[in-house]
Amino acid sequence: MLAKHRHFLRFTTRDLTDEQAGLRTTAGELCLGGLIKHVTSVERKWGDFLLDGPSAFGDFTAMTEADWERRADEFRMLPGETLAGVLADYAEVARRTDGLVATLPDLGAVQPLPKAPWFQDTHWSARRVLMHIVAETAQHAGHADIIRESLDGAKSMA
């Protein structure tokens, strides 16, 4: 399932230039390159969480305005970034996650969640983390499809 949603997310960028990958085509802040950067970052952090627990994230409640601004950069194509580079980074993180899935000894093993106002639970299992990665990727693949259709009429999931 994760491979399917990764494919659709990457597919939304087919035949685009770096400039097009950085364009915002809706009222929101999202662009295709930024969405892929965000999904890459999220998947990387959750992979770190599977290995290292909540220290992989730090304490979200202690984040400064500058921390939040840096986090917002993962939703944009920054000067010097290329679509090819963003996609290569995503492929590397995907390989790592796939390797973790194949080698984790117990998908039922739990870790405490980091401090964050949006977590209702206190612990997640490795299985729950992987389901979250699937859901996050699927949600953003849908966002990407809307952005791409708004850009040039191309459809990825139709």
Side-chain angles (χ1 to χ4, degrees), residues 46 49 53-55 57-58 109-126 128-129:
W46 282 113
F49 174 83
S55 66
F57 287 101
V110 298
Q111 295 271 23
L113 289 167
K115 287 185 181 181
W118 49 82
F119 287 127
Q120 305 297 319
D121 302 322
T122 59
H123 292 76
W124 275 5
S125 68
R128 175 66 182 88
V129 168

Side-chain angles (χ1 to χ4, degrees), residues 56-69:
F57 287 101
D59 182 351
F60 287 103
T61 63
M63 286 178 67
T64 66
E65 189 65 34
D67 294 329
W68 287 109
E69 287 177 24

Side-chain angles (χ1 to χ4, degrees), residues 36-78:
I36 293 172
K37 282 176 56 180
H38 171 67
V39 171
T40 300
S41 175
V42 167
E43 190 168 324
R44 179 182 293 118
K45 285 289 190 184
W46 282 113
D48 293 345
F49 174 83
L50 290 172
L51 298 171
D52 303 323
S55 66
F57 287 101
D59 182 351
F60 287 103
T61 63
M63 286 178 67
T64 66
E65 189 65 34
D67 294 329
W68 287 109
E69 287 177 24
R70 277 190 299 279
R71 184 179 164 113
D73 283 344
E74 70 182 40
F75 291 95
R76 312 184 248 279
M77 293 283 287
L78 300 175

Side-chain angles (χ1 to χ4, degrees), residues 8-25:
F8 278 120
L9 180 56
R10 287 188 309 263
F11 190 63
T12 60
T13 66
R14 71 197 178 282
D15 303 324
L16 293 181
T17 65
D18 295 337
E19 180 184 353
Q20 289 171 312
L23 291 176
R24 294 173 32 209
T25 62

Side-chain angles (χ1 to χ4, degrees), residues 1-2 5-6 132-143 157:
M1 185 61 64
L2 182 53
H5 292 301
R6 283 180 184 143
H132 178 74
I133 293 170
V134 172
E136 178 99 5
T137 304
Q139 179 179 13
H140 289 312
H143 291 145
M157 297 183 174

